[in-house]
Amino acid sequence: MRKIPLPSAGTCEWICNCPEFLRWLKEPNSRLLLLSAEPWSGKSVITRYLVETALPERCPDATIWPSCIACCEDAHCRKTRPADTPAVTVEQLIAKLHALAADSVDSTGKEIDSTNADTDNPKAGEIIYVLDGLDECRLDQLHVFTDKLKQSLSEPRNVRFLVTSRPHPSILNIFKQKFGSTYNHLSWYDKAVRIEMQADIVKAANLLFKNHNCTGYHEELRNALYLVERDQSSYLWTQVIFDVLKELSCDNFQMKQWKQLSSGLPKESLAICKKLLEPASIKGQQGLRPRFNSHGHPLYSTAKKLLLFHFKSVLGIQTRPRWKFEWNQQQRNLFAEKAYSADGPSLAVVCDKLYAVWRGHAGNNGIWWSRIESLQGEWTEPKQIPSATTMNRPAIAATGETLVALWKSLDRESLYYSVLKCGDKWGEPRRTEFGSKVGPALALRETESDGNCKIWAAWRGIEGDEHFWRASFDGDGWSGQHPEYIDVSTESRPALVFCHGRGYLAWTSTAVDTAQQIRISFLEAEADVWEPPFSIERHCRSNTAPCLARFKDIVLAAWTGKGNDTGIWLSSCDRLGDASHFDRPQRLEYAATDCTPAVIEYNDKLVLVWKGGLNGDCGLWWGYGVVK
């Protein structure tokens, strides 16, 4: 039960002293306990406490079999189960109960003989079934299930059942009709139970405040944040509050900021946010299916964004950074009209020099390079990387004094690379074990788990393989390749960048519903899985691949327009840390291209290099400016 939060210290213990729980645990004729509570009020946390702590301590010889009910016929009644907790259909549970009633199997499926049970020790060989989410099944299934449950309980066996459910009247009525006074019921609507559950919320909130270095104003904060109400969705509301505080880096708050939150938050606005997270059911539908499936809530993100806005307003934090790119030096042709490309360059900085690498044009498929040592200087005369050819744009990145170029080969889908060690001589191209249909992206990841900086490569697979793959370069060679399981559909190369440990991956979509949109996914610093992709803006579309770059503390995305739009567009990721938000894009003046532009930070300026886009212009142009 790992996805359900761990109980905070000192919470949930009250349930072990409840008369209903003690009667269920001790009396042989009272072996059914129903725990009913509204969604997100804490019943799953209590269940985890019972399964992992209380029951093993009180019944050390018992076999505890936790499971959650999965009804797969409708998306509304799927349940996201905790890790390591088996999901069983109602039909499987009914079959299990039938076997138990026939006295033929135990919880592991082995044959048993209840006549050999140790009658002097009522806990010997006991089986405790914990069934989570009874409200996930239909009414007709519930009737069959409770009939089999009643039959199983009628046998003199050491089997007990703990069932959790939302307090639907239909479920409660069925239990009353079929079990009468023989079952025990712990209800969220019982005042004593609600008081205890609310006390758990207070304990958990106080502990979380202390963990975030808040040593005072606990009571004031609980009142201001509605963490003292005995109402619905208490645990979900607590979770979203502390998710917002974590995003605001509350560990660094001074007591002054905690005091501002305790006294300055608009109560009416917070009450609206809290109302958004209340559970509801669809009226008029057959059965017990809730509108919100499992522990997820479709309005969680909305409530979080609203709370984030109000918290920032009270704390005086800028809620939406406004930025604009301004040219310091307008476009100039790269190296006196001797640099030409079929699809534009890639850029990297090594040894305080800015390098550009590109594919030739007009039948010249060699890979060319040039560099500049300052923004006031001139680009060196273009040279070729010996024996390096490609039909796609090469990628480059630097670590220390090493510059690495990676490209798709000319006559096959293999990827080749070459290394330059802070000089003018590139190494002999070497073949990797990787393959791509459209070419790779490279970026420096500043901190790895082993403390080293490495260059990451990302690429779409070969023909027929739509996965993204990645590998890393440590200065001496490449690691093995690993798939990235991202929902992606693209015919263009990706873009990759890292900023403050977080990785960003971008591509131009070819999916029907997101065609030509710039799609972004990000990887948190300590995560292993990329987040689901999102579009920068639905109206932001491109004919070509995007580019990503880091400029100071923000991530910039750049692309050329769709159709006849040859303009270069820029958008920045929110400087306040919201990786899923990019600002309204800006169309740059004086720059036109029909290919992906290249963007990089150099000498505290934002440098852009691009292939011309008007009248068949294949020359490379460049300029630089600042983001304000």
Side-chain angles (χ1 to χ4, degrees):
M1 307 184 77
R2 293 176 185 167
K3 290 185 180 179
I4 295 174
L6 282 168
S8 298
T11 63
C12 302
E13 297 173 354
W14 56 270
I15 193 172
C16 297
N17 298 317
C18 290
E20 296 84 356
F21 177 83
L22 294 173
R23 186 164 52 248
W24 167 75
L25 196 63
K26 295 179 179 179
E27 295 185 8
N29 296 323
S30 184
R31 294 178 283 141
L32 174 61
L33 174 63
L34 173 64
L35 173 61
S36 66
E38 291 289 351
W40 312 296
S41 59
K43 65 178 181 294
S44 293
V45 178
I46 293 173
T47 304
R48 178 168 185 174
Y49 167 75
L50 291 174
V51 168
E52 297 184 357
T53 304
L55 291 177
E57 288 178 355
R58 287 161 175 77
C59 309
D61 297 323
T63 300
I64 301 172
W65 191 66
S67 66
C68 60
I69 296 174
C71 183
C72 302
E73 299 169 316
D74 193 315
H76 285 301
C77 49
R78 294 192 186 103
K79 194 171 186 71
T80 303
R81 68 184 186 278
D84 294 341
T85 303
V88 293
T89 64
V90 178
E91 290 77 8
Q92 289 172 323
L93 281 174
I94 292 171
K96 178 68 70 175
L97 290 173
H98 180 77
L100 283 170
D103 204 25
S104 59
V105 298
D106 65 5
S107 63
T108 63
K110 297 179 180 179
E111 293 186 1
I112 60 173
D113 181 3
S114 61
T115 60
N116 292 327
D118 184 356
T119 56
D120 293 331
N121 180 7
K123 295 294 182 287
E126 187 172 47
I127 305 167
I128 299 177
Y129 285 86
V130 180
L131 309 178
D132 185 26
L134 194 62
D135 50 282
E136 297 291 336
C137 62
R138 301 190 313 267
L139 274 175
D140 58 335
Q141 294 175 319
L142 184 62
H143 278 290
V144 177
F145 170 76
T146 50
D147 285 340
K148 293 295 183 182
L149 180 60
K150 184 176 181 180
Q151 182 181 357
S152 178
L153 288 170
S154 66
E155 300 293 331
R157 296 257 336 276
N158 283 342
V159 179
R160 299 183 186 276
F161 293 88
L162 191 159
V163 181
T164 71
S165 172
R166 301 177 187 184
H168 293 293
S170 300
I171 292 180
L172 302 182
N173 288 335
I174 290 174
F175 269 74
K176 288 178 181 178
Q177 292 171 6
K178 297 191 177 182
F179 300 102
S181 60
T182 63
Y183 83 104
N184 305 281
H185 185 199
L186 277 172
S187 173
W188 182 81
Y189 288 106
D190 187 318
K191 182 178 179 181
V193 172
R194 292 180 67 180
I195 290 175
E196 294 290 357
M197 295 178 77
Q198 184 55 38
D200 283 351
I201 292 289
V202 172
K203 292 177 185 177
N206 287 344
L207 184 61
L208 287 168
F209 283 131
K210 290 179 181 178
N211 290 342
H212 289 296
N213 299 323
C214 175
T215 57
Y217 301 108
H218 289 185
E219 183 176 356
E220 294 86 348
L221 285 165
R222 292 198 311 270
N223 289 324
L225 297 171
Y226 289 106
L227 295 175
V228 294
E229 303 293 329
R230 293 196 299 272
D231 55 8
Q232 300 174 344
S233 309
S234 300
Y235 264 84
L236 192 69
W237 178 249
T238 304
Q239 179 181 329
V240 72
I241 289 291
F242 282 94
D243 277 355
V244 170
L245 289 172
K246 183 178 179 181
E247 190 162 325
L248 293 173
S249 300
C250 65
D251 288 349
N252 299 318
F253 279 7
Q254 303 295 323
M255 290 310 299
K256 175 184 177 182
Q257 292 165 297
W258 289 113
K259 185 177 181 180
Q260 287 176 313
L261 287 177
S262 69
S263 59
L265 288 169
K267 287 188 173 294
E268 297 81 3
S269 299
L270 260 66
I272 292 174
C273 294
K274 189 174 177 64
K275 191 75 174 176
L276 290 175
L277 298 183
E278 288 187 359
S281 298
I282 300 176
K283 295 182 179 179
Q285 287 199 7
Q286 180 186 8
L288 313 170
R289 304 177 184 183
R291 177 179 298 172
F292 307 144
N293 59 312
S294 184
H295 294 88
H297 198 299
L299 298 180
Y300 187 90
S301 178
T302 301
K304 180 179 176 181
K305 289 180 179 179
L306 289 172
L307 285 172
L308 192 62
F309 171 81
H310 292 304
F311 280 34
K312 289 177 180 178
S313 298
V314 170
L315 296 172
I317 300 175
Q318 186 178 1
T319 58
R320 177 68 67 87
R322 300 180 61 86
W323 67 275
K324 183 178 181 181
F325 175 82
E326 293 182 357
W327 293 102
N328 286 132
Q329 175 250 300
Q330 296 179 12
Q331 58 181 347
R332 289 189 295 173
N333 194 261
L334 197 73
F335 193 73
E337 301 183 358
K338 291 186 179 180
Y340 297 94
S341 175
D343 57 1
S346 296
L347 302 174
V349 175
V350 62
C351 299
D352 295 323
K353 302 177 180 65
L354 175 60
Y355 284 76
V357 176
W358 65 91
R359 174 172 72 102
H361 85 299
N364 183 339
N365 295 314
I367 297 179
W368 296 76
W369 68 278
S370 179
R371 75 179 183 209
I372 193 171
E373 298 188 2
S374 73
L375 293 176
Q376 289 70 42
E378 296 291 337
W379 290 86
T380 60
E381 184 170 353
K383 299 178 182 179
Q384 279 190 264
I385 298 178
S387 305
T389 57
T390 185
M391 285 292 290
N392 299 81
R393 180 175 181 165
I396 58 172
T399 174
E401 297 183 352
T402 301
L403 183 64
V404 179
L406 183 68
W407 64 90
K408 176 178 174 286
S409 65
L410 182 63
D411 55 351
R412 57 180 67 90
E413 294 180 319
S414 299
L415 297 184
Y416 283 73
Y417 76 101
S418 180
V419 175
L420 182 145
K421 296 283 189 180
C422 203
D424 294 331
K425 187 176 181 180
W426 288 84
E428 187 72 17
R430 299 180 183 180
R431 181 178 177 178
T432 69
E433 298 178 353
F434 321 138
S436 175
K437 179 182 177 181
V438 292
L442 290 178
L444 178 68
R445 186 168 189 178
E446 300 159 312
T447 55
E448 292 284 340
S449 59
D450 57 5
N452 297 321
C453 297
K454 296 180 182 179
I455 293 175
W456 273 39
W459 64 92
R460 209 210 86 164
I462 60 176
E463 182 69 35
D465 178 6
E466 292 190 351
H467 284 110
F468 275 149
W469 295 79
R470 67 171 169 88
S472 61
F473 184 83
D474 61 4
D476 297 319
W478 292 94
S479 69
Q481 58 183 344
H482 304 279
E484 303 284 25
Y485 296 104
I486 309 173
D487 182 14
V488 59
S489 179
T490 186
E491 293 295 327
S492 64
R493 66 186 173 275
L496 180 67
V497 74
F498 289 89
C499 183
H500 297 304
R502 178 187 283 157
Y504 296 78
L505 192 64
W507 63 93
T508 301
S509 175
T510 56
V512 175
D513 56 343
T514 57
Q516 294 186 306
Q517 291 182 17
I518 308 300
R519 303 284 282 171
I520 301 279
S521 178
F522 61 93
L523 178 72
E524 294 291 0
E526 301 298 329
D528 295 320
V529 180
W530 292 80
E531 296 291 333
F534 60 93
S535 297
I536 292 182
E537 294 279 358
R538 291 188 179 275
H539 65 275
C540 296
R541 301 175 186 265
S542 178
N543 298 325
T544 62
C547 171
L548 292 176
R550 174 178 176 174
F551 183 77
K552 301 188 184 303
D553 62 340
I554 62 176
V555 170
L556 290 173
W559 65 92
T560 187
K562 171 191 172 185
N564 296 324
D565 181 6
T566 57
I568 295 178
W569 293 81
L570 281 178
S571 179
S572 71
C573 181
D574 194 321
R575 307 180 195 202
L576 298 173
D578 185 359
S580 62
H581 169 72
F582 276 72
D583 284 317
R584 181 174 298 176
Q586 174 191 357
R587 192 176 191 273
L588 304 187
E589 298 177 302
Y590 315 118
T593 183
D594 55 8
C595 296
T596 305
V599 182
I600 197 170
E601 180 181 4
Y602 180 58
N603 288 355
D604 292 324
K605 298 292 190 292
L606 188 68
V607 179
L608 293 92
V609 184
W610 64 94
K611 171 191 171 292
L614 299 175
N615 302 319
D617 182 7
C618 291
L620 293 183
W621 299 79
W622 77 292
Y624 62 88
V626 294
V627 174
K628 297 183 177 180

